[in-house]
Amino acid sequence: MVAGSLGQRYITNMVDHPLRATIVPVTPLQQNCTLFWCTETMRGAFVDPGGDLERLKSAAAQHGVTIEKILITHGHIDHCGEAGVLATELDVPIEGPHEADRFWISRLAEDGRNYGVRGAPFEPDRWLEQGDTVTVGNLSLNVYHCPGHTPGHVVFHHPASSLAMVGDVLFQGSIGRTDFPMGNHQDLINAITQRLWPLGDETAFVPGHGPMSNFGHERRHNPFVADSVLAV
């Protein structure tokens, strides 16, 4: 990735793919909101637009992208606190997360007050399940239910681009926290090893915070889920 205007980080290996993407960190928690779009139609989506809505709308305008929907990986405040507000402003639907995260979405206003950010509960237009697909323009992304960090966490994967947007399931050198209400460490480990690793070592991923990585690197070096660690 390279730095771009508006605080964006462009995903440079996507230049010749039907999917283009840029990362726009939002909220005081520096959550990675991903703006991605179909290069054939220039229709796109935001993944986890937790806040800083004017910055996000400016990023879409800068790239000439028409937003057609919002995708949510999970119900934590930094990932979706203002998703409902943005959906109303843009008149677009929200898809995701899995309905097991209804608990988290219902408490967004309370969590927003606790974290000093804006949070507004919403009802997604579509809850997502393991094996679903979501479409954006002419793109089709696969949905993987990956509980553990939250019970309803989902991951979006575009096979043709070898790109996954994994929210807070996996990070470069780390994994998602499981000490929040309804978190489960073993569920998280199972989701990573049984649902993410089969997508291939070459698959690059956008985490919910911090720099990108790929699954192969994490399988070799991540101190929590590397093959050598889990084999012990």
Side-chain angles (χ1 to χ4, degrees), residues 151-217:
H153 202 303
V154 297
V155 164
F156 302 101
H157 176 237
H158 187 243
S161 301
S162 295
L163 179 70
M165 288 160 275
V166 304
D168 287 354
V169 171
L170 180 69
F171 303 100
Q172 184 186 85
S174 189
I175 59 175
R177 291 175 58 176
T178 55
D179 57 336
F180 293 118
M182 303 176 73
N184 185 294
H185 180 77
Q186 191 58 52
D187 284 350
L188 183 68
I189 299 301
N190 291 344
I192 293 169
T193 58
Q194 298 173 18
R195 293 192 168 162
L196 298 189
W197 288 171
L199 301 181
D201 286 359
E202 74 285 355
T203 298
F205 68 90
V206 180
H209 305 265
M212 291 181 62
S213 183
N214 65 61
F215 294 153
H217 179 86

